[in-house]
């Protein structure tokens, strides 16, 4: 393992960021005595008990904040404390802790189905782009609802709903700063500052700042992350609250391994060493700027009725030159191209409006919701597109190429596509008694898509106007107050797939789910059996892209999270998945497993507080993925992997300030593995059966020192 520091560079980062952060905080320093006592009390809690990692509620779109135990859906929540203790840097890294979710280096997915670009992913319940990186530093928690949710959120792939919850102003003053180091020479400085002011502290703010940069785990690579985020709240009246947010995130990653594709007759080899220079190119990668603005107003009409409205505007500006290495034979030869065909700008305006209330009638309760949600999404593509060939190379002796002079100007672009989507939802959850309840939700949706040519004319093959109804019915039974058994059926529209110049009309997915939840005071358990069916679109060799088959995914999900003992915390999950193609027009993939999806996926995080040394804790995280089919004909498998991460933290007082030191060694055995094998098409088969592979990261070290002022 190579560990290389770049002390002057890290020092410059720390100095500049610290000056900026202290300037923001200085208005509120020094802390009041009672505030300091509160922080010291928090440190004492860390020293005397393990973290909980157990979340009682989650935001279920138009239903609002609901009890996870009482909600008839499979829901995973990664809380802030876990995100912080594991030193995670992006939302994609958080997905590895949920075995039903895959999301590293690909669009996120649950239950073996990949999300749409916008339809499945949200910040505070409003649609955003899934195709850019999001820093974990601005989020309080990550919520995932597995499977279909079209009756609640509108048309979407049955890939699940991913909701990122922004940090909000704290009730007591917060002035938290940290400096960090990561292999092999990357330094970071962060600040998290919050306070309230004004009469009755009706105004509140929270600022999150991040500056990270240096070399990543490959020589001559570059990682640069800069975030400025502000959350500002106003308590307009005792019943009305306005929440606003603004953020800008600049993410640059160059020189890391590119993606690997396969030529005809070629299979995925044993995963090579991701640290080798040449699997990526020093000039190639991502340079993304994401700006997000949002506002929500929450109004309590009375003790039973609430109104919530929100609007979000996002610009995701991307200059993507990630290299594609196409393996041309089984001896390791490959050709290298720089991909420049990606849409370079996504502009999204999304919104939500929900009225929730409870009515008591005829001895029953009715939790009623009427809501609308939707978005307008514009996509821009450069006038000059197409892959640029760099040359040929070999896995045993990878080549570093010079930067070509014909990389296009990504900002010289035109509006290539506009999508408008809206859904109106009505629903009622009926409580018959303390044990039995049932829910019914209906959503009428409209989808409009307009494609344009570079000269501004309409592209009819990429345009359509359609709509339809999505539904969800549930029934729940509580044998005891801390148990829920539920069954549900859902069907949902999803936007049609696109291949080349052909865009298909929307089609319908269906899901059946049977679940069980058990909640103790400090520990939660969950289990869910499911089956998802949807039409399957592909183009057989020499054929036309169309719906020509069915996809059926069956599976079982098991989860457990919370405190096993006073000193030991668990956050774990296990998923079994059987994803198959049925009734396809081509005989090759019929009744075959979908390539790239493992039968077994599991993750277990154990966090142990060492009682003999107050403030000291250690953790172990183990991720396992079973073998995966390497092609659509299922003629060979790609090896699975088991990756272990080790970590430790120590909380104490330094110069009278609460301070936490953290260190983590990720992939401690330096396992070489294919992190993802994904089909070339979102549906999983394009007639060629080829896919795209991405390498997992090698052994890396992360360390931070966090101090509260």
């Amino acid at each position: 393992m190579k560990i290389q520091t770049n002390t002057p560079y890290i020092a410059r980062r720390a100095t500049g960021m610290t000056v900026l952060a202290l300037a923001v905080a200085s208005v509120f320093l020094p802390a009041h005595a009672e505030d300091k006592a509160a922080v010291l009390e928090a440190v004492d809690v860390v020293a005397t008990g393990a973290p909980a990692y157990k979340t009682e509620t989650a935001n279920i779109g138009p239903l609002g904040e609901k009890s996870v135990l009482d909600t008839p859906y499979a829901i995973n929540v990664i809380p802030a404390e876990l995100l912080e203790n594991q030193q995670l840097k992006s939302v994609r890294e958080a997905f590895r802790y949920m075995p039903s979710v895959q999301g590293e280096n690909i669009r996120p997915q649950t239950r073996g189905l990949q999300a749409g670009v916008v339809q499945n992913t949200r910040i505070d319940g409003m649609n955003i782009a899934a195709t850019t990186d999001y820093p974990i530093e601005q989020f309080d928690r990550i919520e995932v609802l597995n499977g279909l949710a079209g009756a609640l959120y509108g048309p979407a792939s049955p890939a699940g709903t991913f909701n990122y919850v922004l940090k909000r102003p704290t009730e007591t003053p917060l002035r938290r700063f940290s400096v960090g180091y990561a292999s092999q020479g990357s330094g970071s400085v962060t600040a998290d500052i919050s306070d309230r002011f004004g009469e009755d502290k009706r105004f509140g703010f929270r600022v999150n700042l991040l500056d990270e940069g240096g070399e990543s785990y490959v020589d001559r690579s570059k990682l640069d992350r800069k975030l400025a985020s502000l959350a500002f709240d106003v308590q307009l009246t005792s019943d009305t609250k306005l929440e606003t947010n603004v953020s800008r995130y600049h993410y640059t990653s160059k020189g890391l391994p590119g993606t690997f594709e396969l030529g005809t007759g070629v299979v995925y080899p044993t995963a090579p060493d991701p640290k080798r220079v040449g699997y990526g190119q020093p000039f190639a990668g991502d340079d993304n700027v994401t700006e997000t603005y949002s506002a929500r107003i929450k109004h309590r009409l009375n003790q039973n009725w609430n109104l919530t409205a929100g609007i979000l505007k996002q610009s995701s500006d991307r200059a993507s030159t990630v290299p594609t290495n196409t393996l041309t034979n089984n001896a390791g030869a490959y050709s290298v191209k720089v991909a420049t065909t990606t849409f370079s700008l996504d502009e999204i305006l999304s919104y939500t409006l929900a009225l929730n209330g409870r009515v008591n009638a005829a001895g029953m309760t009715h939790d009623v919701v009427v809501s609308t949600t939707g978005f307008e999404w514009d996509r821009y593509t450069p006038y000059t597109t197409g892959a640029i060939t760099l040359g040929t190379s070999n896995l045993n002796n990878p080549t570093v190429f010079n930067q070509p002079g014909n990389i296009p100007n990504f900002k010289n672009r035109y509006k290539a596509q506009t999508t408008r989507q809206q859904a109106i939802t009505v629903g009622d959850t009926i409580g018959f008694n303390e044990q039995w309840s049932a829910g019914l939700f209906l959503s009428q949706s409209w989808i409009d898509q307009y494609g344009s040519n570079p000269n501004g004319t309409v592209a009819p093959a990429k345009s359509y106007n359609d709509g339809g109804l999505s539904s969800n019915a549930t029934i729940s039974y509580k044998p005891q107050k801390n148990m829920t058994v539920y069954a549900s059926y859902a069907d949902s529209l999803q936007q049609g797939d696109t291949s080349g110049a052909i865009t298909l009309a929307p089609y319908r997915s269906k899901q059946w789910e049977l679940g069980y939840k058990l909640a103790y005071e400090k520990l939660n358990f969950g289990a869910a059996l499911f089956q998802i069916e949807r039409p399957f679109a592909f183009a057989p060799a020499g054929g036309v892209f169309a719906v020509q088959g069915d996809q059926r995914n069956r599976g079982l999900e098991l989860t457990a999270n919370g405190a096993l003992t006073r000193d030991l915390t668990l956050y774990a999950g296990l998923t079994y998945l059987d994803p198959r193609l049925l009734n396809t027009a081509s005989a090759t993939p019929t009744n075959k497993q979908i390539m790239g999806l493992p039968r077994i996926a599991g993750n277990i995080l154990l966090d142990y507080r060492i009682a003999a040394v107050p403030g000291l804790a250690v953790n172990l995280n183990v991720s396992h993925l079973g073998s995966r089919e390497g092609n659509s004909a299922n003629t060979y498998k790609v090896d699975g992997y088991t990756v272990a991460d080790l970590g430790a933290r120590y909380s104490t007082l330094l110069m009278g300030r609460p301070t936490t030191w953290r260190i983590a060694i990720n992939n401690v055995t330096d396992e070489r593995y294919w992190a993802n094998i994904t089909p070339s098409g979102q549906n999983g088969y394009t007639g060629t059966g080829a896919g795209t592979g991405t390498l997992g990261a090698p052994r890396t070290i992360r360390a931070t020192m966090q101090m509260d002022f």
Side-chain angles (χ1 to χ4, degrees):
M1 176 178 60
K2 177 180 179 181
I3 300 177
Q4 170 181 311
T5 61
N6 188 348
T7 304
Y9 184 81
I10 296 173
R12 290 197 301 271
R13 291 268 173 179
T15 301
M17 191 65 173
T18 302
V19 169
L20 176 60
L22 289 175
V24 175
S26 62
V27 177
F28 303 98
L29 288 171
H32 298 297
E34 61 270 23
D35 299 332
K36 184 175 181 180
V39 175
L40 293 177
E41 182 181 352
V43 173
D44 186 61
V45 171
V46 173
T48 57
Y53 296 168
K54 176 178 178 286
T55 306
E56 304 294 343
T57 64
N59 191 284
I60 316 297
L63 304 185
E65 198 79 9
K66 305 292 287 185
S67 164
V68 173
L69 172 65
D70 297 333
T71 304
Y73 307 107
I75 300 168
N76 296 295
V77 182
I78 302 183
E81 196 171 9
L82 189 155
L83 301 174
E84 189 173 65
N85 284 338
Q86 296 303 110
Q87 300 184 75
L88 304 187
K89 295 179 180 292
S90 74
V91 168
R92 291 174 180 174
E93 290 185 342
F95 291 144
R96 74 178 65 163
Y97 294 87
M98 297 178 281
S100 280
V101 179
Q102 290 178 293
E104 292 190 74
N105 307 313
I106 60 173
R107 271 183 273 163
Q109 64 184 33
T110 70
R111 298 179 173 176
L113 295 152
Q114 194 171 139
V117 176
V118 170
Q119 295 85 348
N120 299 78
T121 310
R122 296 168 180 258
I123 285 179
D124 287 343
M126 293 172 283
N127 296 90
I128 57 170
T131 48
T132 191
D133 191 82
Y134 290 96
I136 208 68
E137 288 84 358
Q138 71 183 118
F139 297 115
D140 179 70
R141 64 185 187 270
I142 307 299
E143 303 174 335
V144 178
L145 190 158
N146 296 347
L148 270 69
L152 300 176
Y153 291 96
S157 161
T161 301
F162 305 87
N163 187 42
Y164 313 150
V165 180
L166 289 167
K167 292 178 177 178
R168 300 247 56 85
T170 55
E171 292 301 318
T172 58
L174 174 68
R175 288 167 289 280
R176 177 167 293 167
F177 302 88
S178 66
V179 294
Y181 163 83
S183 303
Q184 43 193 22
S186 175
S188 65
V189 184
T190 65
D192 188 356
I193 305 163
S194 183
D195 210 335
R196 294 185 178 275
F197 60 95
E199 184 180 355
D200 298 325
K201 295 188 176 181
R202 60 186 302 204
F203 301 101
F205 74 89
R206 189 161 186 176
V207 175
N208 278 273
L209 302 173
L210 160 70
D211 191 2
E212 178 180 16
E215 192 174 60
S216 190
Y217 57 79
V218 179
D219 287 343
R220 300 171 60 185
S221 64
K222 175 185 178 182
L223 176 66
D224 198 3
R225 302 193 305 139
K226 292 182 174 66
L227 168 70
S229 174
L230 169 66
F232 191 83
D233 291 356
V234 183
Q235 192 73 43
L236 299 174
T237 70
S238 59
D239 296 321
T240 308
K241 185 178 184 180
L242 174 66
E243 300 177 347
T244 64
N245 306 277
V246 57
S247 68
R248 186 181 192 274
Y249 181 52
H250 190 174
Y251 172 79
T252 304
S253 176
K254 301 286 182 72
L256 296 183
T259 61
F260 288 81
E261 294 187 352
L262 303 180
T264 303
V266 182
V267 301
Y268 281 102
T270 301
D273 183 358
K275 298 188 295 293
R276 291 285 297 271
V277 180
Y279 296 149
Q281 301 299 321
F283 65 87
D286 289 312
D287 189 353
N288 305 340
V289 176
T290 304
E291 296 180 349
T292 308
Y293 310 87
S294 67
R296 287 194 303 176
I297 191 164
K298 300 177 178 179
H299 179 62
R300 185 179 64 178
L301 299 169
N302 54 46
Q303 64 179 1
N304 290 327
W305 289 88
N306 296 280
L307 181 68
T308 304
I311 188 168
L312 179 146
K313 174 68 175 177
Q314 184 180 79
S315 169
S316 175
D317 198 341
R318 297 177 295 143
S320 178
T321 54
V322 175
T324 300
N325 305 315
T326 302
L327 295 164
T328 54
N329 64 34
N330 289 317
Y334 64 92
S335 62
V336 184
K337 295 182 178 181
V338 175
T340 62
T341 55
T342 309
F343 289 101
S344 67
L345 175 65
D346 288 304
E347 291 186 338
I348 302 162
L349 179 66
S350 59
Y351 56 87
T352 182
L353 175 66
L355 176 66
N356 304 84
R358 168 165 287 196
V359 176
N360 297 309
M364 296 180 291
T365 61
H366 296 264
D367 290 325
V368 179
V369 60
V370 180
S371 72
T372 183
T373 184
F375 60 83
E376 179 170 322
W377 168 33
D378 294 327
R379 307 204 78 182
Y380 294 78
T381 193
Y383 282 99
T384 302
T385 61
I388 300 169
T389 300
L390 300 181
T392 60
S393 188
N394 192 281
L395 292 177
N396 297 318
N397 187 26
T399 304
V400 176
F401 296 95
N402 294 324
Q403 180 173 340
N406 56 340
I407 291 179
N409 179 0
F410 287 93
K411 295 188 181 299
N412 183 25
R413 54 203 173 195
Y414 67 97
K415 186 188 293 186
Q417 182 178 296
T418 296
T419 302
R420 298 186 183 95
Q421 182 171 299
Q422 183 175 1
I424 296 177
T425 297
V426 294
D428 185 9
T429 301
I430 305 170
F432 300 105
N433 52 43
E434 291 185 356
Q435 292 182 303
W436 288 95
S437 63
L440 178 62
F441 304 91
L442 299 173
S443 176
Q444 176 62 44
S445 304
W446 297 267
I447 307 174
D448 297 316
Q449 180 170 301
Y450 303 95
S452 299
N453 298 310
N455 61 6
T457 60
V458 175
K462 295 185 178 181
S463 305
Y464 63 84
N465 182 306
D466 211 333
L469 195 67
S470 300
S471 65
N472 177 210
T474 68
I475 185 166
S476 300
Y477 172 64
K478 296 181 71 65
Q480 299 179 25
K481 289 185 178 181
N482 67 332
M483 295 182 188
T484 300
V485 180
Y486 68 89
S488 72
Y489 167 80
D491 67 74
S492 175
L493 286 181
Q494 75 172 87
Q495 196 169 338
D497 286 292
T498 298
S499 178
I502 299 176
T503 296
L504 303 179
Y507 39 83
R508 187 174 298 278
S509 306
K510 299 179 181 180
Q511 174 181 278
W512 292 263
E513 183 174 324
L514 177 65
Y516 173 76
K517 297 181 181 182
L518 173 64
Y520 292 109
E521 181 182 357
K522 296 183 178 181
L523 190 63
N524 289 340
F525 294 96
L529 279 167
F530 63 87
Q531 175 174 297
I532 299 175
E533 297 176 352
R534 70 166 178 176
F536 190 83
F538 69 98
V544 177
F545 182 70
V547 173
Q548 303 184 71
D550 299 297
Q551 179 176 357
R552 185 195 67 199
N553 288 13
R554 290 174 172 169
L556 169 66
E557 298 164 338
L558 303 173
T559 59
N561 55 80
L564 291 173
T565 70
R566 182 173 180 269
D567 298 323
L568 180 62
T569 295
L570 169 75
Y571 193 96
L574 180 68
T575 295
Y576 169 81
L577 183 66
D578 179 23
R580 292 187 179 271
L581 300 182
L582 306 171
N583 308 317
T584 56
S586 171
T588 301
T590 295
N591 201 33
K592 298 293 197 304
Q593 294 280 312
I594 293 179
M595 68 170 298
L597 295 176
R599 287 290 191 99
I600 296 292
N603 192 89
I604 180 169
L605 169 64
L606 295 170
D607 193 297
Y608 181 68
R609 184 191 72 92
I610 300 175
V613 184
L616 180 63
V618 295
N619 61 75
L620 168 67
N621 187 74
V622 179
S623 298
H624 173 75
L625 208 68
S627 61
R628 298 148 284 177
E629 298 295 343
N631 58 20
S632 296
N634 291 185
T635 58
Y636 79 99
K637 293 182 182 292
V638 177
D639 290 339
Y641 61 84
T642 301
V643 174
D645 307 327
L646 289 175
R649 67 182 179 277
Y650 179 59
S651 297
T652 185
L653 292 178
L654 181 64
M655 296 182 292
R657 301 292 180 181
T659 303
T660 300
W661 306 80
R662 295 183 176 90
I663 187 169
I665 305 175
N666 295 329
N667 191 359
V668 67
T669 61
D670 204 19
E671 174 88 358
R672 298 179 186 178
Y673 63 99
W674 292 103
N676 292 299
I677 303 293
T678 55
S680 299
Q682 185 177 335
N683 269 307
Y685 185 72
T686 60
T688 64
T692 300
T694 55
L695 294 173
R699 177 168 53 224
T700 57
I701 292 178
R702 293 179 182 178
T704 58
M705 183 195 75
Q706 173 186 295
M707 181 177 287
D708 288 356
F709 287 84

